């Protein structure tokens, strides 16, 4: 949420990133990745500042894979601009607040380094082709935690049902009864919905 | 017995005819007024409602929630979304009102049901689809036996493969029973799921127009009261009445309805026997029972699917708990 620019530390992390992602041709990619992974995890684990830096919006969109797609879409949503002036940035939804959770997400994110190096989503076409798979990973993660990141800012308890639209009110009453979680129904809240979702995914299974 | 019935209904029809001409008219000022909104439904058919990718509200529908439970307070917004083409309307009509507020009143005198609808005609879109009637108003009644009747009123009859709907089969007029089922050159009319062996809600073409059950099964459904009773006012032609089962079956019903436009406000009144003008195909309205009523207005020379539709409302005789309380006077 905090949007104070701390580009210094972001740049360090980013340089590290570039170092990993632009390996010199004389080493085998695999060897570099093995070392890179180890260093990466140690760094993230050992230096909280690096973790903090990597939670900045600038960091996430330092890769064009993130900037040209999901970032643009997010800017058109209520989590970017709303009457309350509270902005939910990438890490608010994607990086758990609690440090141990954070580490799990970070280690998970090393997949993104591989992805970057391999160019899994480096064109808009490739991104769209993979969007459903990436989204499903996020949905599964959020479902497991009962949408913890959403609930950091929103709760059923805090909702003034009487102030909500009728359909929202009704659905939230159901959701509470059926133990559904936010992400069951609020898919595509910050980005375009992936194509090819199943009916059950659409209605919160 | 049957002969008596026929005579009775003939007399009923005559009587109904007479009422139109002026049996003691009810005092409408004593009748509670239900304010509703009819809206453009676009192509949001029953299949659309039941398809989770189109309508996530299907979760509630599966549990038996009525459309009104989620939508009653937001009907004008739904109309706007559809009229603009944002949702469920591939061919919006420019200038057509997204929704129309309507007041509904109902009363009875122990013999007849009197139903009155009033609405202020919205601005014209200047498109003439029906060259005979400027206004048509259709009413459908369910007696609690039709699947989706209580939940959705008219929605029980609306399908993706009806005429002017997206999945209509261009060869449907060649069906062996086309004449009997009133399949016109542009496709079938309304039908109920009860009369079909299957209803496709996922893959195109959606619906089940040609998956007919046997005649015996359809007749059995009619006997069990699994049909929607229907009446229609037409400003340019006479009123009609009948029912929706395997198809929409209507016949002329002189005196059933009358309507007038005074200073831009339409007032349309129906008069029919509580017991039904034709007991075989009308639902008898009896005390202590709750029915569902849905209605649709073809305003501004509209035709076919370009009407404004209501959700389903409960209706009962002398029951203040019903959405539409048919009070005695």
């Amino acid at each position: 949420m905090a949007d104070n620019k701390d580009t210094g530390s972001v740049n360090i992390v980013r340089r590290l990133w570039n170092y990993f992602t632009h390996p010199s041709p004389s080493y085998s990619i695999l060897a570099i990745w093995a070392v890179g992974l180890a260093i990466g995890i140690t760094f993230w684990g050992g230096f909280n500042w690096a973790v903090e830096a990597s939670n900045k919006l600038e960091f996430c969109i330092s890769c064009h894979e993130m900037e040209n797609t999901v970032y643009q879409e997010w800017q058109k949503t209520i989590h970017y601009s709303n009457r309350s002036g509270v902005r939910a940035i990438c890490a608010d939804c994607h990086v758990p607040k609690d440090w141990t959770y954070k580490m799990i997400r970070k280690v998970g994110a090393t997949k993104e380094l591989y992805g970057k190096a391999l160019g899994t989503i480096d064109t808009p076409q490739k991104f769209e082709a993979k969007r459903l798979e990436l989204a499903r990973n996020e949905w599964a993660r959020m479902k497991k935690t009962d949408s913890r990141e959403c609930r950091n800012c929103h709760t059923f308890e805090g909702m003034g049902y009487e102030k909500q639209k009728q359909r929202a009110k009704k659905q939230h009453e159901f959701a509470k009864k059926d133990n559904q979680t936010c992400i069951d129904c609020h898919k595509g809240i910050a980005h375009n919905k992936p194509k090819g979702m199943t009916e059950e995914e659409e209605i919160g299974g | 017995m049957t002969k008596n019935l026929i005579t009775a209904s003939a007399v009923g029809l005559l009587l109904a005819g007479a009422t139109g001409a002026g049996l003691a008219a009810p005092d409408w000022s004593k009748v509670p007024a239900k304010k509703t909104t009819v809206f453009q439904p676009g192509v949001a058919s029953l299949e659309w409602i039941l398809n989770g990718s189109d309508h996530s509200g299907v979760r509630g529908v599966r549990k038996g929630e009525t459309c009104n439970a989620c939508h009653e307070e937001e009907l004008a917004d739904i109309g706007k979304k559809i009229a603009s083409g944002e949702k469920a309307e591939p061919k919006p009509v420019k200038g057509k009102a997204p929704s129309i507020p309507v007041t509904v009143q109902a009363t009875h005198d122990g013999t007849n049901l009197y139903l009155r609808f009033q609405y202020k005609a919205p601005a014209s879109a200047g498109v003439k689809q029906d060259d005979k009637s400027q206004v048509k108003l259709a009413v459908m009644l369910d007696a609690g036996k039709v699947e989706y009747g209580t939940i959705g009123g008219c929605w029980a009859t609306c399908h993706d493969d009806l005429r002017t709907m997206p999945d209509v089969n261009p060869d449907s007029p060649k069906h062996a029973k086309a004449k009997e089922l009133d399949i016109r050159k542009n496709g079938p009319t309304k039908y109920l799921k009860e009369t079909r062996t299957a209803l496709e809600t996922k893959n195109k073409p959606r619906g089940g127009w040609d998956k007919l059950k046997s005649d015996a099964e359809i007749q059995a459904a009619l006997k069990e009261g699994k049909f929607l009773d229907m009446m229609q006012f037409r400003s340019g032609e006479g009123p009609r009445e009948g029912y929706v089962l395997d198809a929409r079956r209507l016949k002329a019903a002189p005196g059933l309805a009358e309507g007038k436009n005074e200073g831009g406000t339409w007032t349309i009144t129906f008069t029919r026997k509580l017991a039904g003008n034709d007991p075989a195909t009308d639902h008898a309205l009896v005390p202590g029972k709750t029915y569902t009523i849905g209605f649709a207005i073809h305003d501004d020379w509209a035709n076919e699917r370009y009407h404004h539709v209501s959700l389903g409302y409960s209706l009962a005789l002398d029951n203040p708990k019903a959405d539409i309380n048919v009070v005695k006077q």
Side-chain angles (χ1 to χ4, degrees):
Chain A
M1 256 191 298
D3 225 3
N4 52 341
K5 293 226 160 48
D6 190 1
T7 24
S9 48
V10 168
N11 278 341
I12 293 171
V13 178
R14 192 180 167 178
R15 243 176 280 136
L16 258 170
W17 218 275
N18 283 337
Y19 175 75
F20 294 142
T21 53
H22 300 96
S24 78
S26 50
Y27 297 96
S28 98
I29 294 253
L30 256 178
I32 290 178
W33 272 101
V35 176
L37 197 65
I39 296 176
I41 293 172
T42 320
F43 258 72
W44 276 332
F47 299 101
N48 209 30
W49 61 263
V51 171
E52 288 314 318
S54 68
N55 282 341
K56 297 275 187 298
L57 172 64
E58 290 79 4
F59 169 69
C60 299
I61 58 173
S62 65
C63 286
H64 72 95
E65 282 88 342
M66 302 287 108
E67 185 181 10
N68 296 347
T69 53
V70 280
Y71 170 66
Q72 306 294 334
E73 295 158 12
W74 165 71
Q75 285 187 318
K76 296 191 196 99
T77 72
I78 190 145
H79 285 103
Y80 178 80
S81 157
N82 55 62
R83 59 204 168 115
S84 330
V86 181
R87 179 168 292 176
I89 64 163
C90 323
D92 290 329
C93 289
H94 289 294
V95 183
K97 276 220 157 46
D98 182 292
W99 200 78
T100 39
Y101 296 136
K102 248 182 214 169
M103 280 314 297
I104 295 166
R105 160 73 179 125
K106 290 300 172 201
V107 175
T110 50
K111 178 168 86 84
E112 292 173 43
L113 288 175
Y114 281 120
K116 174 78 184 172
L118 300 175
T120 51
I121 54 169
D122 61 0
T123 66
Q125 290 76 14
K126 281 191 194 170
F127 186 89
E128 284 311 325
K130 208 167 181 193
R131 190 196 284 266
L132 182 58
E133 183 189 329
L134 302 179
R136 281 184 173 147
N137 291 336
E138 272 316 275
W139 293 332
R141 186 183 66 76
M142 290 184 184
K143 184 128 175 110
K144 238 191 259 159
T145 64
D146 188 13
S147 316
R148 182 180 39 231
E149 282 68 50
C150 315
R151 289 183 296 104
N152 283 336
C153 295
H154 304 269
T155 59
F156 278 143
E157 291 67 36
M159 286 180 188
Y161 284 148
E162 65 292 341
K163 293 199 202 90
Q164 288 188 346
K165 280 197 256 170
Q166 190 187 8
R167 66 178 62 169
K169 189 166 42 188
K170 197 77 197 173
Q171 294 283 58
H172 291 153
E173 283 168 23
F174 281 149
K176 253 172 93 172
K177 258 190 250 151
D178 295 359
N179 273 325
Q180 282 182 288
T181 187
C182 322
I183 200 62
D184 283 332
C185 300
H186 289 291
K187 299 187 174 78
I189 185 75
H191 320 294
N192 293 351
K193 264 195 192 173
K195 295 216 165 59
M197 287 168 66
T198 66
E199 244 188 286
E200 290 311 306
E201 281 169 343
E202 296 269 9
I203 66 171
Chain B
M1 178 65 200
T2 19
K3 215 170 175 185
N4 282 347
L5 266 184
I6 291 170
T7 326
S9 25
V11 172
L13 267 178
L14 271 177
L15 268 181
T19 51
L23 274 191
D27 181 354
W28 289 107
S29 67
K30 293 203 184 106
V31 181
K34 169 75 182 173
K35 289 196 187 320
T36 61
T37 298
V38 291
F39 59 95
Q40 289 190 27
V43 296
S45 63
L46 181 60
E47 290 79 19
W48 189 96
I49 297 291
L50 296 178
N51 182 296
S53 306
D54 286 333
H55 182 235
S56 61
V58 68
R59 253 187 97 89
V61 173
R62 282 185 199 155
K63 291 185 184 159
E65 291 289 330
T66 65
C67 314
N68 267 325
C70 291
H71 294 310
E72 184 164 19
E73 297 157 20
E74 50 180 43
L75 296 174
D77 292 336
I78 293 184
K80 268 187 221 146
K81 240 188 231 174
I82 293 179
S84 67
E86 186 186 331
K87 244 184 181 175
E89 181 49 273
K91 290 183 201 155
V93 176
K94 216 170 144 245
K96 189 177 172 69
S99 64
I100 310 175
V102 184
T103 303
V104 187
Q105 288 170 287
T107 179
H108 74 98
D109 54 16
T111 309
N112 285 323
L113 162 75
Y114 306 89
L115 257 179
R116 185 167 89 156
F117 299 86
Q118 287 184 299
Y119 74 94
K120 199 171 167 303
S124 170
V127 179
K128 205 164 171 177
Q129 296 168 327
D130 183 329
D131 53 12
K132 295 206 180 77
S133 290
Q134 182 179 7
V135 168
K136 299 189 290 273
L137 193 153
V139 182
M140 289 203 252
L141 267 179
D142 170 48
K145 299 236 173 86
V146 169
E147 191 178 0
Y148 306 116
T150 308
I151 289 174
C154 304
W155 258 267
T157 68
C158 176
H159 303 281
D160 260 38
D161 51 7
L162 302 184
R163 54 206 176 106
T164 66
M165 292 293 279
D167 289 358
V168 65
N169 184 323
D171 288 331
S172 56
K174 294 186 198 137
H175 191 270
K177 287 188 162 178
K179 192 147 189 269
E180 192 196 327
L181 295 174
D182 193 18
I183 299 178
R184 319 270 174 93
K185 62 178 186 302
N186 57 349
T189 56
K190 300 175 188 308
Y191 60 86
L192 296 181
K193 179 177 179 229
E194 275 79 355
T195 60
R196 299 301 195 265
T197 54
L199 195 68
E200 177 61 50
T201 61
K202 290 190 166 55
N203 304 312
K204 289 191 150 259
R206 301 195 295 198
W209 73 278
D210 59 346
K211 302 192 183 81
L212 278 163
K213 285 191 181 166
S214 73
D215 286 344
E217 287 169 298
I218 291 169
Q219 284 314 306
L222 181 64
K223 282 223 176 66
E224 288 165 38
K226 286 184 185 161
F227 64 88
L228 293 190
D229 183 353
M230 179 168 170
M231 314 189 271
Q232 190 183 39
F233 162 79
R234 297 183 293 179
S235 65
E237 295 176 273
R240 299 189 289 182
E241 74 175 327
Y243 62 105
V244 177
L245 181 62
D246 51 343
R248 197 191 65 182
R249 296 169 185 277
L250 294 175
K251 53 182 194 281
L256 173 75
E258 56 181 26
K260 55 180 187 291
N261 181 339
E262 278 173 339
T265 294
W266 277 95
T267 299
I268 295 163
T269 314
F270 291 85
T271 306
R272 69 152 249 204
K273 293 223 144 319
L274 285 175
N277 293 343
D278 179 349
T281 60
D282 287 352
H283 290 307
L285 298 178
V286 297
K289 250 188 100 165
T290 301
Y291 305 81
T292 302
I293 183 173
F295 59 98
I297 302 178
H298 283 95
D299 180 61
D300 190 23
W301 308 99
N303 212 2
E304 297 167 325
R305 73 175 183 79
Y306 288 96
H307 46 6
H308 293 85
V309 178
S310 84
L311 296 180
Y313 295 90
S314 62
L315 174 143
L317 302 186
D318 303 299
N319 179 353
K321 283 204 205 104
D323 293 327
I324 295 169
N325 179 11
V326 189
V327 292
K328 180 157 191 183
Q329 59 171 293

